Amino acid sequence: MTNIVETDVLIVGAGPAGAICSMLLADAGVRNIVINKYASTSPGPRSHITNQRTMEILRDLGLEDEAKAQATPQEKMGHVFATSLSGKELGRIYSWATHPLAKAAHQLASPCSVCDLPQYYFEPLVIAQCMLRGSEVRFQTEYLSHEQDAEGVTALLQDRLTGEEFRVRARYLVGADGARSKVAQDIDLPFEGQMALGDSGSLNIEFTADLSELVAHRPSDMFWLLQTGSGLNGTGVGVLRMVRPWNKWVCVWGYELSKGPPVLSDDEARAIVQRLIGTDRIPVTIDAQSTWTINQQYAVRNSRGRVFCMGDGVHRHTPMAGLGLNTSVQDAYNLAWKLALAVKGFAGPQLLETYDAERSPVAQQIVSHAFASLGTLPPMFEALELPPGATDEQMQAAVAGLESAALDAAARRDRLRAAMDATLMGFGGGHGVEMNQRYTSSAVVPDGSPDPGFERDPVFFHQPSTRPGAHLPHVWLTTGQRPISSLDLCGKGRFTLLTGLAGKLAWEVATQRVSQAFGIEIVVRAIGPGQAYEDAWGDYRKVSEVDDSGALLVRPDMFVAWRAHDHTSAAGDELLDAMQAILGTGSA
């Protein structure tokens, strides 16, 4: 056993959550070690939908353009339903906000667009930045166990190349080690829900084939193919998911869990792929195979003492709605700035406790939404009036019957159209689930205003607010006559106070006092005529919900921590009290 290695934060897992956490800590000047049990980042495409909140985080980290350069853009992310890729097309939906109205709602909500960035491109991008920014990254290093005490955590690790075991002493431990998280198991996190639901598993077959002649005229990232057989989790729906236009793909089919994971030869895997393509005349090269199950499980709490868990380790669910990677990244964005302040002695344990209070409810929400989205697939078969275990002949007859001029065929067409439209819930229709988080914790100071609730369905529609606990709304401002998002004024690991021209001088004095009292930086951004940032379209004035002399205190993760409707003689003291409550410290 070698000497103990010391660091501030040890992160177990170098996937999206662990890497983003590591990068943010490095930017804050916090020593951290991130370890990965395996020899490389993800070898498969796995998660791929990258939503607006995640792109905003990459934007804050200066990585948005690099991510977009490697991603498939939103305009190529539609969905097609058919009997096979070369067979009868049944319909299309405007998935991932490609409908003009939905796209407009997305453009109003964020400066960033959803894109398709497979995990094996996402991970190298962010883990490389960890190393460039000063994190220590170790692959082939396995977490074995840990012990924590009042001052820190001592973890036992193993170098998988040499077999040598060694210890790392850290102030805090972060478990970002996936759906089978050993860290979560070791701190005995309580879970609700179930893993491996039902008797059906899913098989991923990664393959290379030039399918451009069948898809380039109808660009989509996913093709949903209604066929007889098990299909995705027993639904009878096969999937061809685009990884790279139009030659890298993943085929998703099903198998019976009771029979165990299938071991297919390349020829057997190719036959499944060709069945979904609908022809064997296009050359297909099988690249890899893997299996997965449908999970519906979340951690009731995500931390214990000095150990914090995030990502798939605390929310385990179907890939429907594309929430997994995105929620994992947002977990890290919530926790990292809090850890940085705690390590530097600027915040007390109470601030770290807000990670559980704020993110555990999100885990429950997204697990429930993802599972509910899966239930939108079977009604398509019901609309075709197919019996359970339908034969190929019955499927062909049902599809052919859709082209009948009879009134009952028209009714079936209407039911099928409604069933296809309903699947949008799991394909980018949950804009509110992605964007409407409202935090309640000691890191959010209420302003006494009543909770207005949501005017529209909070699952499907984004509804901005500056009420403390809400994410700062995006609007376009100008600087030097060039557009800039309100979000670009904040972040970078700092607190930001936004105010109007009437409040500028008074709030500059107040924030200087607070910054000196707590030893942390608060950046003041004045928005108004003649200022560095001008409200050229008048949108900030409309959305801010405070007077021109009022203020919004925005946390490093872009959430509103506190707000003042206007500036009064007591405003400076109120800001001081608010910051003390947020940081969880004694009197300044």
Side-chain angles (χ1 to χ4, degrees):
M1 190 81 67
T2 60
N3 293 331
I4 293 179
V5 178
E6 294 189 356
T7 191
D8 292 320
V9 181
L10 172 63
I11 302 169
V12 179
I20 291 293
C21 186
S22 173
M23 195 189 317
L24 288 162
L25 291 172
D27 282 351
V30 175
R31 296 179 305 158
N32 72 92
I33 298 172
V34 56
I35 66 170
N36 190 3
K37 176 179 177 180
Y38 304 103
S40 69
T41 54
S42 174
R46 299 177 65 186
S47 298
H48 60 119
I49 301 302
T50 311
N51 70 26
Q52 288 180 294
R53 281 287 182 253
T54 297
M55 291 303 290
E56 288 171 1
I57 293 170
L58 295 179
R59 183 186 184 96
D60 185 34
L61 287 164
L63 297 177
E64 182 188 16
D65 289 342
E66 290 183 56
K68 288 166 63 176
Q70 297 190 45
T72 298
Q74 184 178 14
E75 56 266 24
K76 292 184 178 179
M77 293 174 64
H79 278 206
V80 173
F81 296 92
T83 59
S84 70
L85 205 58
S86 59
K88 178 66 179 177
E89 184 177 305
L90 302 174
R92 309 180 189 187
I93 61 171
Y94 291 100
S95 60
W96 313 117
T98 50
H99 189 284
L101 288 176
K103 192 167 186 179
H106 272 232
Q107 290 173 339
L108 289 170
S110 175
C112 304
S113 298
V114 60
C115 63
D116 188 309
L117 182 60
Q119 193 165 335
Y120 63 17
Y121 296 114
F122 186 99
E123 286 189 7
L125 170 65
V126 294
I127 203 68
Q129 286 293 321
C130 292
M131 293 182 281
L132 289 170
R133 300 182 190 206
S135 300
E136 183 176 344
V137 179
R138 292 184 57 122
F139 287 87
Q140 293 276 57
T141 303
E142 184 174 3
Y143 162 83
L144 300 178
S145 64
H146 78 270
E147 296 177 351
Q148 63 171 308
D149 52 49
E151 302 299 323
V153 181
T154 302
L156 178 63
L157 310 181
Q158 183 180 52
D159 185 321
R160 300 186 75 194
L161 288 175
T162 65
E164 178 186 9
E165 294 182 358
F166 63 102
R167 299 186 188 277
V168 172
R169 177 67 175 174
R171 300 274 298 280
Y172 301 99
L173 171 65
V174 173
D177 48 336
R180 297 178 180 84
S181 172
K182 190 173 188 312
V183 176
Q185 177 182 336
D186 286 351
I187 61 173
D188 196 24
L189 290 185
F191 282 86
E192 290 191 2
Q194 185 179 344
M195 299 284 279
L197 292 169
D199 188 39
S200 296
S202 292
L203 168 68
N204 277 8
I205 303 171
E206 299 169 40
F207 69 97
T208 300
D210 183 1
L211 302 182
S212 55
E213 66 177 272
L214 299 174
V215 301
H217 59 288
R218 48 179 179 173
S220 301
D221 66 332
M222 300 188 81
F223 293 82
W224 294 80
L225 308 167
L226 279 64
Q227 298 192 355
T228 58
S230 59
L232 173 64
N233 199 45
T235 60
V237 181
V239 183
L240 290 178
R241 171 192 147 194
M242 179 275 299
V243 177
R244 272 290 180 265
W246 300 110
N247 65 337
K248 289 290 186 182
W249 298 85
V250 174
C251 164
V252 186
W253 194 239
Y255 69 94
E256 295 180 34
L257 280 176
S258 58
K259 296 182 179 179
V263 180
L264 302 180
S265 67
D266 282 359
D267 286 342
E268 290 170 326
R270 188 178 296 107
I272 294 174
V273 171
Q274 290 171 337
R275 174 179 177 175
L276 294 182
I277 295 174
T279 179
D280 59 4
R281 64 178 179 79
I282 297 175
V284 172
T285 300
I286 303 301
D287 299 320
Q289 299 179 49
S290 59
T291 58
W292 51 279
T293 59
I294 295 298
N295 304 319
Q296 186 190 14
Q297 190 176 72
Y298 62 90
V300 176
R301 61 172 297 117
N302 56 25
S303 63
R304 195 176 299 279
R306 290 176 171 267
V307 182
F308 305 85
C309 291
M310 60 175 59
D312 290 349
V314 289
H315 35 83
R316 305 158 181 178
H317 52 88
T318 162
M320 293 289 285
L323 296 168
L325 179 148
N326 295 290
T327 307
S328 300
V329 167
Q330 292 153 38
D331 288 344
Y333 200 53
N334 180 285
L335 178 62
W337 67 272
K338 299 172 182 178
L339 281 175
L341 289 177
V343 166
K344 294 177 179 180
F346 297 136
Q350 181 177 301
L351 177 62
L352 293 177
E353 292 169 4
T354 67
Y355 170 66
D356 175 58
E358 294 177 353
R359 295 304 296 176
S360 289
V362 174
Q364 179 180 0
Q365 180 194 32
I366 64 109
V367 168
S368 299
H369 180 76
F371 187 74
S373 298
L374 185 66
T376 63
L377 297 178
M380 290 188 290
F381 289 90
E382 297 168 11
L384 290 171
E385 299 180 357
L386 286 167
T391 65
D392 288 342
E393 291 75 17
Q394 288 173 315
M395 170 67 83
Q396 292 167 8
V399 172
L402 293 172
E403 298 182 358
S404 169
L407 290 178
D408 62 338
R412 286 197 300 275
R413 289 193 293 270
D414 288 344
R415 289 195 296 271
L416 179 61
R417 180 70 261 174
M420 286 189 291
D421 288 344
T423 67
L424 189 62
M425 173 183 180
F427 304 135
H431 198 206
V433 172
E434 298 171 3
M435 306 287 280
N436 281 341
Q437 284 84 13
R438 301 287 192 266
Y439 292 160
T440 302
S441 75
S442 62
V444 173
V445 181
D447 65 348
S449 63
D451 186 347
F454 293 96
E455 295 179 0
R456 306 177 75 185
D457 191 316
V459 169
F460 297 102
F461 300 100
H462 169 240
Q463 292 160 81
S465 173
T466 65
R467 193 169 183 268
H471 192 280
L472 177 70
H474 152 72
V475 293
W476 288 111
L477 308 168
T478 58
T479 181
Q481 300 181 345
R482 291 172 172 78
I484 184 171
S485 170
S486 53
L487 305 187
D488 295 331
L489 277 58
C490 306
K492 307 301 181 189
R494 303 173 300 195
F495 282 86
T496 306
L497 188 135
L498 304 178
T499 186
L501 179 57
K504 177 184 178 182
L505 294 178
W507 287 113
E508 285 178 342
V509 172
T511 54
Q512 184 176 11
R513 173 189 168 197
V514 173
S515 293
Q516 290 175 347
F518 295 102
I520 64 172
E521 182 181 11
I522 304 176
V523 179
V524 178
R525 306 289 196 193
I527 300 169
Q531 304 305 300
Y533 306 101
E534 300 198 41
D535 190 12
W537 290 275
D539 290 333
Y540 179 77
R541 187 74 185 89
K542 296 171 187 174
V543 79
S544 68
E545 301 176 325
V546 297
D547 285 350
D548 195 55
S549 68
L552 304 177
L553 179 65
V554 183
R555 307 187 326 186
D557 60 356
M558 307 282 188
F559 276 76
V560 178
W562 171 84
R563 71 179 178 181
H565 183 73
D566 52 24
H567 189 277
T568 66
S569 58
D573 291 335
E574 292 171 358
L575 176 60
L576 189 74
D577 291 343
M579 186 60 72
Q580 180 180 319
I582 293 164
L583 297 177
T585 60
S587 57

